[in-house]
Amino acid sequence: MATNRKAAIGFIFITLLVDVMGWGLIIPVMPKLIAELKNISINEASAYGGLLLSSFAITQFLFAPVIGNLSDKYGRRPVLLFSLLGFGIDYIILALAPNYGWLFVGRVIAGITGASFTTAAAYIADISTVETRTKNFGMIGAAFGLGFVIGPALGGLLAGLGTRAPFYAAAALCLLNTLYGYFVLPESLPQENRRAFEWKKANPFGSLQFLRHTPGIGKMALCFFLIYLASQAVQGNWSFFTIHRFGWKESMVGISLAVVGVLVGAVQAGLTRVINPKIGNTNSIYAGLLLYTLGLLLFAFASQTWMMFAFLIPYCLGGIANPSLQATIATYVAPNQQGQLQGALTSLMSLSTIIGPLIMNNLFTYFTSNKAPFYFPGVSFLLGALFMLTSAVIAFLILHTKKEPVTAAG
């Protein structure tokens, strides 16, 4: 059984690695593609980039609970393969897009089918014990980090062949990943743990009610939401900010994101395994949120390229909070509800991505325009730091009087 579990973790790791590589490939060139299609400057393009992120998030918000509940009925494997196929189609559309409107079409398709992380998280929950849950959830972050080492660096290099080249490469990776999963990915959800599909539970707002009504989850879910809302200052605006503020080329953007990937992978695959057993989930959450806050605050006032690289260290170290928080939330539900829970958490992430880019990217565009009372391109990072600090305070108020089981630290 232990061997089978390790093999399954390996399958999911490789699947997510290739999936993230596809997304990482296109990030360095997206600002230039939008600017070319709209014939505007990079800082103005940031607002349009935020709209694309929000359109993806809206559709994912509506469909992630459906996909999560379908995986509880039909199993994780078919749903995961369907998701990967949808991403491949999305990248083909982006590669061929003749105007900005077609970028929306691709993002909507990706949002509808984009349940790879939702289903993968449920897969991890299926095959994990209480002792290994935090470590296994950390492997999702490790795949994300390693994918962002290879993907953006390769995307920056491929940009030399043209703005569209990384999109074709991303499409090829996702379609190959689908084929790989079809042949090697086993099912993780036994028939006896499956449940009937219920539209009431698949309603995205109903899934949020699930978080609110399940004891212990609601307030922790608010912390989860604020973390992802704050992170939109980085995820949605990094390329636009660095190209505008420091004059970076696509290759430099790719290198910086590759550094992020190295740091995230080191934290999730290495540091989490060392720190979490020593200090437990609760203290990992506190420390991670404070490090996130510090990193964002430093980004806001960075004035030179080297500072952005140096300040990535505290920001990425904050990643010790994520698997600990997710593992804490997962302990409150039954095995046959893990898909529903992960779908609901993905809905929260999508909700933060609906709101976040509209706030962060438009703030950046406004404070780099002639309309602003003063020039402050780092304003989005400052707001993100405030959100992250708020999450830390809420987490402390919830957890400081709660005794943590020793097994939770495993």
Side-chain angles (χ1 to χ4, degrees), residues 148-149 254-264 309 312 316:
F148 261 76
V149 174
I255 291 170
S256 70
L257 293 174
V259 172
V260 172
V262 170
L263 293 173
V264 170
F309 283 89
L312 281 171
C316 291

Side-chain angles (χ1 to χ4, degrees), residues 204-326:
F205 299 99
S207 74
L208 296 178
Q209 290 293 319
F210 167 79
L211 294 176
R212 188 166 69 89
H213 290 144
T214 303
I217 287 184
K219 292 178 181 179
M220 292 303 294
L222 176 58
C223 295
F224 185 89
F225 173 75
L226 287 173
I227 291 171
Y228 282 92
L229 182 62
S231 70
Q232 290 305 314
V234 176
Q235 294 178 16
N237 206 42
W238 180 269
S239 299
F240 298 97
F241 173 83
T242 53
I243 291 172
H244 170 79
R245 182 74 175 87
F246 304 110
W248 287 9
K249 301 296 184 184
E250 290 88 347
S251 57
M252 180 61 77
V253 173
I255 291 170
S256 70
L257 293 174
V259 172
V260 172
V262 170
L263 293 173
V264 170
V267 170
Q268 300 291 353
L271 190 61
T272 297
R273 293 168 178 250
V274 175
I275 295 296
N276 188 270
K278 293 182 181 297
I279 68 174
N281 283 335
T282 299
N283 288 327
S284 295
I285 292 170
Y286 297 159
L289 292 177
L290 292 176
L291 285 165
Y292 271 144
T293 301
L294 176 62
L296 286 166
L297 188 63
L298 292 171
F299 287 149
F301 297 98
S303 59
Q304 298 182 43
T305 287
W306 70 264
M307 293 181 179
M308 297 301 291
F309 283 89
F311 299 159
L312 281 171
I313 295 174
Y315 180 77
C316 291
L317 285 174
I320 63 173
N322 297 60
S324 296
L325 181 60
Q326 200 165 5

